[in-house]
Structure formats: structure tokens, C-alpha cells
């Protein structure tokens, strides 16, 4: 790590702690005691207000109500930031206008030579979802869902949310404790704990028509919610091993509540373990269609008898191994 870069990182390290010692700096940055002392003096000379404490438990702290020196980016850091912007501009991310103004401010901080490098990178590098004829063009499919920014603002202040969604012209309402908001395969998904049904629920943001805070009389313990989800996930009744072709099919499409676990470091084999609600005809049809979609590069280790019967009806044949499948 270059000295200037280390000093910049060290200043952030110091500023984020109420108190630090020379020994802590030595461990964090893998430097000698003399180097740590020299770096502290250089950082003080740059204007960072450090106060030394003497004694057995002595160390340093940053004087409060003081202004830090201006942030300086290295050439590599500028390129890393710019490429990150390029790679994510067609990913349905929120705050598009803010990201644009941030990129403009970043360009204003660097030299003309660095700006020329970034212009060249913009012409050469193309990422998934980018229009090769006009890289700066945003398609309608690139724009984030209009409810996404409102959702993020709400979850920053409260994790209890009431979601109103529309699926196949049917309006549903769920009261959840939000666990995660994540982006997968071009879709934004809400993972939450359903307060009423006391189970894990995943909702597609594209189906969201309204989101409000949900007032609860007694707030739930997050640890207990996660424990209930873990107990429910132990009740697996569908276990399927996937080969490379089936993994490719999985990446094209899979039900929202089903996840994959790779079983080798090369990600060429994987396993799916899930609980299927056999009392839901809608879920049964979805899983049956999806298993057929995965193709013949699968090995079914466990499957509900109801889904097995649906598969037999769809295929109109009895496979030699089908009776050996373990059912529930």
C-alpha cells in the first residue's frame, strides 16, 4: 500500500473511533511502531486535530467539532469509482438523479488527464444491459420501480411495513417485518417476516402498489423471528440435486422462495432443499412446471407424493426410477 493511500485510510480509521492506540494502528495496518508514530505526525501536520493521552491506558483521540482535511482520491480509486458507476447504471437502481450529479462532482475533482482516461474507459467498457450503440441511453426497463425510493426511505426509519401488492389483478396486503431488500436477476425483492402468518415471505417490488408504516402494539424480537424461520426451513420436503445444465436453467428462472446451494468450488453441481405447501394448488402447479423446466440434468432425492403424481400426469409415462423416489 502506498504511503499517501495508507495515510488517507488511516485518517478515516482514526476519525471513526473515539479512541485508538499505537498498538492498534500497528495491528490494523501491519506496520512497525516507528512507522505508526511517523504516520501520526504526518497526519497531524496535514491538519487532523489529534489529542494525545498519557498514562498506562493512554492513546489518541480526535478533537471534536473539527474539520477533517479534504478527501483525496488516488488514480486507481477514481477509476474504481467510475467503473462501478458504469457497471450499475442499467441495473434499476434508485436515486438515478443523485448518482448522475455524484459522477459529475467526481469528474470535477480530478485532472484533465484523468478525465481523458475515464472518457476512453466509457467508450471501451460495456456491461450487461448496456446499449452498445448508445451506452448512456436508459431504456424503460432500466428505470427503478417508482415505489423503490419511498420503500427505502421508510425502512431506514422503521422495519415494520404494510405492503399492498397486485398479482394477476388480485390485490393483497401483508404486514411484515423487513429483513432484506435485495436485487436479483434484474428484479428487486423484499424479504420479510409475515407478522400475521409468522413465516418468511418474499414479495416482488414490481407488484407493489403501496407501502406504509405498520404500527404494532408489541414489537417482535428479531432473533426470535429468525429462529422461527430457521425451524420452518428445517421442514424440507423437496430435495433436488442439480448438474451444470440444470443450474443454467435455475439461473434463467426459479420460484422466489427457492434458493440454491453449490456443492463444489467450481459451482458445477448444486442442491435445492425447500418446503412445498401441498395444500396450495397454485404453489403445486408452479413447482411441477418448474421441475420440468429444469430438464433431465437433475436427481430428485425427496419429493412430496402430490407433486410426484402431478409429474406422472404431465409426462404420461412411468420413468424406471420414479418409484424409488422418497416421498412424504
Amino acid at each position: 500500500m502506498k504511503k499517501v493511500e495508507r495515510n488517507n485510510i488511516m485518517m478515516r480509521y482514526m476519525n471513526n473511533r473515539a479512541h485508538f492506540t499505537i498498538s492498534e494502528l500497528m495491528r490494523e495496518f501491519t506496520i512497525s511502531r516507528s512507522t505508526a508514530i511517523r504516520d501520526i505526525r504526518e497526519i497531524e501536520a496535514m491538519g487532523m486535530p489529534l489529542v494525545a493521552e498519557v498514562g498506562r491506558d493512554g492513546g489518541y483521540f480526535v478533537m471534536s467539532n473539527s474539520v477533517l482535511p479534504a478527501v483525496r482520491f488516488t488514480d486507481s480509486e477514481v477509476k474504481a469509482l467510475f467503473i462501478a458507476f458504469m457497471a450499475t447504471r442499467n441495473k434499476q437502481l434508485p436515486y438515478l438523479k443523485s448518482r448522475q450529479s455524484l459522477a459529475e462532482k467526481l469528474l470535477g475533482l480530478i485532472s484533465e488527464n484523468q478525465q481523458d482516461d475515464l472518457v476512453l474507459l466509457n467508450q471501451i467498457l460495456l456491461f450487461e444491459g448496456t446499449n452498445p450503440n448508445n451506452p448512456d441511453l436508459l431504456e424503460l426497463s432500466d428505470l427503478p420501480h417508482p415505489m423503490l425510493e419511498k420503500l427505502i426511505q421508510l425502512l431506514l426509519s422503521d422495519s415494520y411495513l404494510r405492503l399492498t401488492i397486485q398479482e394477476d389483478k388480485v390485490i393483497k396486503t401483508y404486514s411484515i417485518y423487513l429483513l432484506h431488500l435485495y436485487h436479483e436477476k434484474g428484479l428487486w425483492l423484499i424479504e420479510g417476516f409475515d407478522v400475521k402468518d409468522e413465516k418468511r415471505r418474499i414479495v416482488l417490488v414490481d407488484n407493489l402498489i403501496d407501502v406504509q408504516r405498520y404500527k404494532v402494539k408489541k414489537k417482535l424480537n428479531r432473533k426470535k423471528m429468525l429462529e422461527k424461520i430457521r425451524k420452518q426451513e428445517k421442514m424440507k420436503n423437496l430435495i433436488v440435486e442439480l448438474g451444470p445444465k440444470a443450474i443454467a436453467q435455475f439461473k434463467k428462472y426459479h420460484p422466489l422462495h427457492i434458493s440454491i446451494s453449490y456443492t463444489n468450488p467450481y459451482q458445477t453441481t448444486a442442491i435445492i432443499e425447500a418446503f412445498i405447501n401441498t395444500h396450495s394448488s397454485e404453489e403445486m402447479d408452479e413447482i411441477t412446471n418448474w421441475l420440468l423446466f429444469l430438464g433431465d440434468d437433475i436427481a430428485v432425492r425427496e419429493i412430496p407424493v402430490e407433486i410426484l403424481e402431478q409429474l406422472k400426469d404431465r409426462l404420461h409415462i412411468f420413468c424406471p426410477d420414479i418409484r424409488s423416489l422418497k416421498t412424504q
Side-chain angles (χ1 to χ4, degrees):
M1 185 185 298
K2 293 181 180 179
K3 186 176 181 180
V4 174
E5 183 180 357
R6 187 178 72 234
N7 284 352
N8 284 335
I9 297 174
M10 193 177 288
M11 281 193 291
R12 299 300 132 192
Y13 176 88
M14 294 173 177
N15 192 54
N16 290 333
R17 284 157 179 78
H19 179 272
F20 65 90
T21 64
I22 290 178
S23 297
E24 289 171 346
L25 292 181
M26 291 167 61
R27 287 194 301 269
E28 180 70 21
F29 298 96
T30 319
I31 56 178
S32 65
R33 182 178 182 84
S34 59
T35 300
I37 293 173
R38 185 170 62 249
D39 287 348
I40 288 173
R41 289 172 180 170
E42 290 177 358
I43 289 172
E44 284 183 304
M46 292 170 65
M48 191 168 197
L50 298 178
V51 177
E53 294 179 310
V54 297
R56 183 177 180 181
D57 299 322
Y60 295 85
F61 66 89
V62 181
M63 187 183 299
S64 59
N65 300 322
S66 299
V67 180
L68 287 174
V71 176
R72 294 180 177 85
F73 294 105
T74 65
D75 188 60
S76 296
E77 289 172 339
V78 169
K79 288 185 174 66
L81 285 170
F82 187 76
I83 290 175
F85 280 133
M86 291 175 62
T88 58
R89 64 183 167 191
N90 301 95
K91 296 293 183 181
Q92 295 185 355
L93 296 178
Y95 306 107
L96 283 179
K97 293 180 180 178
S98 298
R99 292 173 71 249
Q100 177 63 31
S101 62
L102 187 58
E104 292 173 356
K105 290 178 181 177
L106 176 62
L107 290 174
L109 292 173
I110 61 179
S111 67
E112 289 186 7
N113 288 337
Q114 287 177 314
Q115 290 181 19
D116 291 339
D117 288 344
L118 298 187
V119 170
L120 182 59
L121 285 175
N122 191 44
Q123 294 171 349
I124 295 173
L125 296 177
L126 290 180
F127 295 90
E128 183 182 1
T130 304
N131 186 328
N133 299 317
N134 188 352
D136 295 321
L137 178 66
L138 277 177
E139 306 285 354
L140 287 177
S141 59
D142 299 326
L143 299 176
H145 190 277
M147 297 292 297
L148 188 58
E149 289 189 24
K150 179 181 179 181
L151 175 63
I152 292 175
Q153 289 297 329
L154 285 175
L155 65 86
L156 286 173
S157 59
D158 198 342
S159 295
Y160 289 92
L161 303 172
R162 189 183 299 277
L163 310 177
T164 304
I165 66 171
Q166 184 172 348
E167 294 179 328
D168 299 326
K169 298 182 179 180
V170 178
I171 295 178
K172 302 176 183 178
T173 301
Y174 300 117
S175 299
I176 69 160
Y177 176 91
L178 189 136
L179 297 171
H180 298 102
L181 174 64
Y182 62 99
H183 192 256
E184 181 180 289
K185 292 182 64 180
L187 299 172
W188 281 97
L189 301 166
I190 300 169
E191 178 190 8
F193 181 80
D194 191 308
V195 176
K196 180 181 178 182
D197 295 338
E198 295 191 337
K199 67 176 185 179
R200 178 173 175 256
R201 186 175 295 282
I202 296 178
V203 175
L204 193 61
V205 172
D206 283 353
N207 294 335
L208 200 62
I209 58 177
D210 189 35
V211 55
Q212 301 292 337
R213 288 189 181 90
Y214 172 59
K215 294 182 179 180
V216 291
K217 294 180 180 179
K218 183 179 179 181
K219 292 193 174 183
L220 303 174
N221 183 288
R222 180 184 174 92
K223 187 176 180 181
K224 290 183 178 179
M225 285 187 279
L226 295 175
E227 184 61 31
K228 282 190 176 183
I229 291 174
R230 278 193 290 268
K231 287 181 179 179
Q232 292 168 1
E233 288 178 345
K234 290 180 181 178
M235 300 167 56
K236 311 292 186 183
N237 59 3
L238 178 68
I239 301 176
V240 182
E241 294 177 0
L242 283 68
K245 293 181 181 178
I247 291 173
Q249 291 294 92
F250 178 91
K251 290 179 179 178
K252 292 178 183 177
Y253 168 75
H254 61 269
L256 295 179
H257 68 285
I258 290 183
S259 58
I260 192 172
S261 298
Y262 292 103
T263 52
N264 72 10
Y266 304 103
Q267 298 188 355
T268 55
T269 59
I271 190 168
I272 291 169
E273 297 179 324
F275 172 75
I276 308 303
N277 182 6
T278 55
H279 298 292
S280 170
S281 59
E282 183 181 343
E283 185 170 348
M284 291 268 290
D285 289 341
E286 181 184 24
I287 295 301
T288 301
N289 292 334
W290 178 63
L291 287 172
L292 293 172
F293 171 77
L294 288 178
D296 60 0
D297 194 20
I298 65 172
V300 180
R301 300 305 179 204
E302 190 168 334
I303 189 171
V305 64
E306 294 87 351
I307 293 181
L308 185 56
E309 292 301 322
Q310 282 199 8
L311 286 169
K312 290 178 181 180
D313 291 340
R314 296 285 181 88
L315 294 172
H316 297 291
I317 59 172
F318 291 91
C319 299
D321 298 330
I322 203 165
R323 293 193 181 279
S324 65
L325 295 175
K326 184 179 178 183
T327 61
Q328 291 189 356

